[in-house]
Amino acid sequence: MTNQTTRRTAARLIAAGVAAFIAAGLAFGTCAAAAQGEPRVKLATTAGDIVVEVYPDKAPKTAANFLQYVKDGFYNGTIFHRVIDGFMIQGGGMDEKMSEKPTRPPIEHEGRAALAKGLHNQVGYLAMARTNDPNSATAQFFINVVDNSGRLDPTASKDGYTVFGKVVSGMEVVNKIKSAPTGNRGMHADVPVTPIVITSATVLK
């Protein structure tokens, strides 16, 4: 092999190595961006801060609805008005006087699609509250404090509840809220005796 041939072979190997390195870097960057791309929301409450991660790729309409309410400042001043240890904590729709805030129109139920993508009503996961009508969810949400997958996930015979996010920081606050003393206020049961207020809800990224 001549020196010229050797140099050409080396150059081709170097070029191929550089191309492979760049491709690997781009692939890693894409994966990292995907892993870090989920929006996060901080719920600052009178019991402490809770940070939740939202999944637009798994429940797009539900996630967008929740994030829009956050951006609009809707949740500021609302309370966790229904707290049941051994089940869930629910909030996002009423003020301290137990007056329900006016909302945008209800959204389409995405429970089965979210379930198919791996979201279950498990400890720390967020889902939308609703009436008996599956397509009635507006602003209220709940955080599961036990594994409710068998109770609240969709099945062939029931619509279940749409999961769209999970708590990534502040589960100790969730556990504090679930243990709060509760009572009745008007027609409402399981209301914390001392209001637990969401003082602000902010999109972190």
Side-chain angles (χ1 to χ4, degrees):
M1 185 181 289
T2 65
N3 289 338
Q4 186 176 8
T5 301
T6 301
R7 287 195 295 270
R8 287 175 179 171
T9 301
R12 284 197 297 270
L13 290 172
I14 292 171
V18 170
F21 178 78
I22 292 173
L26 290 174
F28 177 79
T30 300
C31 292
Q36 298 175 3
E38 293 87 355
R40 290 190 173 188
V41 171
K42 182 174 79 171
L43 302 174
T45 83
T46 51
D49 294 346
I50 303 168
V51 177
V52 302
E53 191 169 71
V54 180
Y55 302 116
D57 58 326
K58 296 178 175 65
K61 295 177 183 178
T62 308
N65 177 69
F66 175 77
L67 291 171
Q68 191 59 58
Y69 276 116
V70 172
K71 293 171 184 177
D72 291 344
F74 179 90
Y75 292 124
N76 302 350
T78 59
I79 63 172
F80 283 96
H81 64 274
R82 185 174 178 230
V83 169
I84 305 175
D85 193 0
F87 185 28
M88 55 91 232
I89 62 173
Q90 180 175 333
M94 296 187 176
D95 62 22
E96 290 187 60
K97 297 180 180 179
M98 294 296 291
S99 297
E100 192 164 358
K101 297 182 68 172
T103 65
R104 298 193 306 272
I107 58 172
E108 180 183 346
H109 184 68
E110 297 181 301
R112 287 190 172 83
L115 179 66
K117 294 178 180 178
L119 295 183
H120 295 266
N121 281 280
Q122 296 172 321
V123 178
Y125 279 75
L126 279 75
M128 292 305 297
R130 61 171 178 80
T131 66
N132 291 331
D133 179 358
N135 298 305
S136 63
T138 53
Q140 293 187 32
F141 61 90
F142 63 88
I143 302 174
N144 292 281
V145 299
V146 296
D147 183 354
N148 287 312
S149 55
R151 183 177 184 179
L152 300 180
D153 280 359
T155 65
S157 60
K158 66 179 182 182
D159 294 290
Y161 292 79
T162 302
V163 179
F164 65 96
K166 71 174 181 180
V167 175
V168 294
S169 176
M171 269 306 293
E172 71 280 2
V173 177
V174 174
N175 291 331
K176 181 179 178 181
I177 294 172
K178 77 175 185 179
S179 301
T182 61
N184 297 329
R185 287 190 62 183
M187 298 175 60
H188 301 279
D190 306 304
V191 182
V193 175
T194 300
I196 301 169
V197 184
I198 299 173
T199 56
S200 67
T202 311
V203 177
L204 298 179
K205 69 170 185 175

